[in-house]
Amino acid sequence: MSAVTFVSNPIHEGWTLTHTGGDAPSVVERATVPAQVPGSVPLDLDRAGLLADGPREDGTAADWMAWCEWRYATEFAATPATPGERVDVVFDGLDTVAAVRLNDIEIARTKNMHRSYRFDVRELVQGGANTLTVDFVSALAYARGIDADARHGDVSRAYRGVRKMAWGFGPFGGPPAHTAGIWGGVRIERWRVARLDEVRPLVTLDGDSGRVQVHVRVERASGEPLTVYATVAGAEASAQIPPGEVTGVVTVEAPHVEAWWPHGHGPARLYDLVVDLHSTDERLDTHVRRIGFRSAVLTGAVNVADAGVESPETPQVSPRTEQVSVTVNGRPLDLRVERWMPLDTVLARIAAEDVRARVEEQRDAGVGVLHVDGVGVYESPAFYETCDELGMFVVQDPPFVGDGYRAGAPVQGEAIEETREHVARLAPHPSLLTYGTVEDRAYGSLVSGIIAVLDHDRLTT
């Protein structure tokens, strides 16, 4: 019963990049070059020597790239789906407006770089070689069709019409990053009976007693009964998911745990949490992560514009906040806040070791809270794992900047999907102190409502 029936195989080799549309220098037009996945178009073109002046200092290239279209393509070997087996293609990040095809059959269209995608291809995957292609159109051209300001020439505001990182459009004084490409991992996943679709542990501490409520959502290929087991700090619990149902909650009581503390106030103690999904006679899937037990309540925020006046009633962290008051494990602390931006507008170029070095630099400078600005993305697993290990608190802004985002389809549906995905992902991290506010009138209440359901203790609005 030790083997897991869930199998995951990356598709990161053999990719090519081809220019398929839009005005470009003659050496680029219709050219096909090797591509790295995860990656980005400007980096692939530069490695191939097709950018005459090289990329800009920030890794991007000339403005003509904003209007071009591109194809990523590769082949991978597979076997056909067996009876009762599911076969999925999974993308961790697509930047941004794309059509995905397997063996020349379109399986999806995407419009959001802030979320992952999963596509059922059990009817399409074939024995031997399979061809996977991703065709990207200009996100700027797409956004111009959605956002009125972008349509009339203010391309720096084009992010309001498409779920692409706002910073990449250059609205804040820097050059725009004309990125496109597969910026996250790609893989084929094969499974049967059921898999773990979402694992959302909510972790609390009362004295030296820890509790983990593991909220689980499964995707099913059959209707048989399932059991979820959760183990942490030497304690174990289980829960049944009856036939046909897709959600369950496992509560693990862990007495006598060590608390997680921010740096300078105690050890940042972490524990391994293991969640297993079983059918009657098989272990179907497993989820492993590190968590920390702590209590934290935001009690005050000092803003630059307020001349040091502490926020009354419900404190919130804004771009002006320079210090917060937090009661951690019953101890009141005052912590310095610094803004955190992505280390590069080309996200695929950011290495985990560079993230760690920057967080360590901030920690050594006496910073206690990193405020992740909404001009970027929900920060990476490497960022949050580093902050957990180093005892650095985080305030995470949802990726909305200012006001004026398009209400309704397609932005609204994408905003719901990305918020659900990332709040579930970030909820177990002891480093996550709270979420920042969303200023946009169309999406502030929507995002807050999702957080209220999935991670209420960190809601500040």
Side-chain angles (χ1 to χ4, degrees):
M1 197 115 86
S2 61
V4 180
T5 62
F6 185 98
V7 177
S8 179
N9 293 309
I11 309 177
H12 292 166
E13 303 299 326
W15 286 91
T16 59
L17 170 69
T18 302
H19 172 269
T20 57
D23 292 337
S26 57
V27 294
V28 174
E29 287 187 345
R30 304 298 166 180
T32 297
V33 301
Q36 289 188 5
V37 170
S40 188
V41 168
L43 303 182
D44 291 328
L45 295 180
D46 185 48
R47 278 188 291 265
L50 298 185
L51 298 183
D53 300 323
R56 294 171 174 154
E57 183 178 347
D58 64 0
T60 65
D63 290 343
W64 55 264
M65 294 185 66
W67 307 103
C68 287
E69 299 177 358
W70 311 93
R71 167 170 288 185
Y72 280 81
T74 192
E75 285 190 353
F76 64 93
T79 58
T82 58
E85 183 183 37
R86 272 286 301 271
V87 182
D88 297 338
V89 174
V90 182
F91 291 90
D92 289 329
L94 293 171
D95 179 15
T96 296
V97 183
V100 182
R101 293 178 176 85
L102 179 62
N103 297 326
D104 296 324
I105 297 176
E106 184 175 301
I107 58 175
R109 289 182 176 261
T110 74
K111 301 178 178 69
N112 191 343
M113 76 172 292
H114 294 293
R115 58 170 290 198
S116 64
Y117 291 93
R118 174 181 295 271
F119 308 119
D120 178 2
V121 296
R122 64 187 136 171
E123 302 295 335
L124 300 178
V125 68
Q126 59 193 25
N130 291 260
T131 301
L132 181 62
T133 61
V134 186
D135 289 301
F136 291 93
V137 301
S138 164
L140 183 54
Y142 172 86
R144 269 192 158 178
I146 299 292
D147 182 75
D149 287 343
R151 191 158 53 247
H152 292 102
D154 186 2
V155 296
S156 69
R157 301 289 182 180
Y159 60 82
R160 299 186 301 190
V162 61
R163 294 304 295 143
K164 181 178 171 72
M165 181 173 72
W167 195 26
F169 285 103
F172 308 103
H178 302 306
T179 56
I182 304 172
W183 76 273
V186 186
R187 58 193 178 275
I188 287 283
E189 293 185 347
R190 309 180 77 114
W191 53 278
R192 58 182 63 252
V193 183
R195 69 173 187 88
L196 292 168
D197 185 43
E198 179 182 286
V199 179
R200 179 169 48 92
L202 300 181
V203 185
T204 56
L205 178 68
D206 184 6
D208 64 351
S209 296
R211 170 181 288 185
V212 187
Q213 285 188 324
V214 185
H215 296 254
V216 171
R217 186 175 66 207
V218 301
E219 185 177 12
R220 285 182 173 274
S222 71
E224 65 185 84
L226 304 170
T227 305
V228 182
Y229 297 91
T231 305
V232 66
E236 182 180 79
S238 65
Q240 304 295 313
I241 301 181
E245 295 190 14
V246 296
T247 61
V249 181
V250 185
T251 301
V252 187
E253 304 285 353
H256 310 302
V257 296
E258 298 178 42
W260 181 95
W261 288 93
H263 72 89
H265 301 279
R269 182 69 164 91
L270 297 172
Y271 291 86
D272 290 330
L273 170 67
V274 180
V275 180
D276 288 323
L277 178 67
H278 287 248
S279 64
T280 304
D281 56 1
E282 290 182 300
R283 184 158 65 104
L284 304 173
D285 199 358
T286 190
H287 175 93
V288 180
R289 65 176 309 135
R290 303 181 81 192
I291 65 171
F293 294 93
R294 57 94 175 130
S295 63
V297 179
L298 181 66
T299 59
V302 179
N303 299 326
V304 176
D306 297 334
V309 177
E310 191 167 302
S311 302
E313 299 177 357
T314 304
Q316 297 177 1
V317 180
S318 76
R320 303 185 308 276
T321 301
E322 59 180 5
Q323 179 179 300
V324 294
S325 298
V326 186
T327 299
V328 182
N329 305 328
R331 183 188 303 173
L333 304 175
D334 292 325
L335 303 174
R336 178 180 153 199
V337 180
E338 286 291 336
R339 186 186 190 196
W340 177 276
M341 297 280 287
L343 302 189
D344 198 321
T345 51
V346 183
L347 298 179
R349 194 168 61 173
I350 301 174
E353 56 266 28
D354 295 332
V355 171
R356 187 177 187 88
R358 179 65 67 85
V359 176
E360 288 178 342
E361 179 183 295
Q362 295 288 344
R363 177 201 62 185
D364 295 344
V367 175
V369 180
L370 295 175
H371 182 185
V372 179
D373 198 293
V375 304
V377 294
Y378 284 100
E379 261 298 344
S380 67
F383 171 83
Y384 273 96
E385 289 163 10
T386 297
C387 290
D388 287 348
E389 294 172 12
L390 299 182
M392 182 72 79
F393 270 127
V394 179
V395 172
Q396 172 72 66
D397 281 356
F400 293 85
V401 183
D403 199 7
Y405 283 82
R406 178 183 175 86
V411 175
Q412 179 173 310
E414 294 296 336
I416 292 170
E417 291 299 319
E418 74 188 47
T419 305
R420 280 197 58 92
E421 176 179 336
H422 290 289
V423 172
R425 174 175 70 90
L426 299 182
H429 286 284
S431 58
L432 179 61
L433 176 61
T434 185
Y435 295 93
T437 58
V438 174
E439 297 176 348
D440 185 84
R441 286 167 289 183
Y443 293 101
S445 60
L446 176 70
V447 172
S448 297
I450 295 172
I451 296 172
V453 171
L454 300 181
D455 195 8
H456 182 269
D457 288 347
R458 291 190 176 98
L459 182 67
T460 61
T461 55

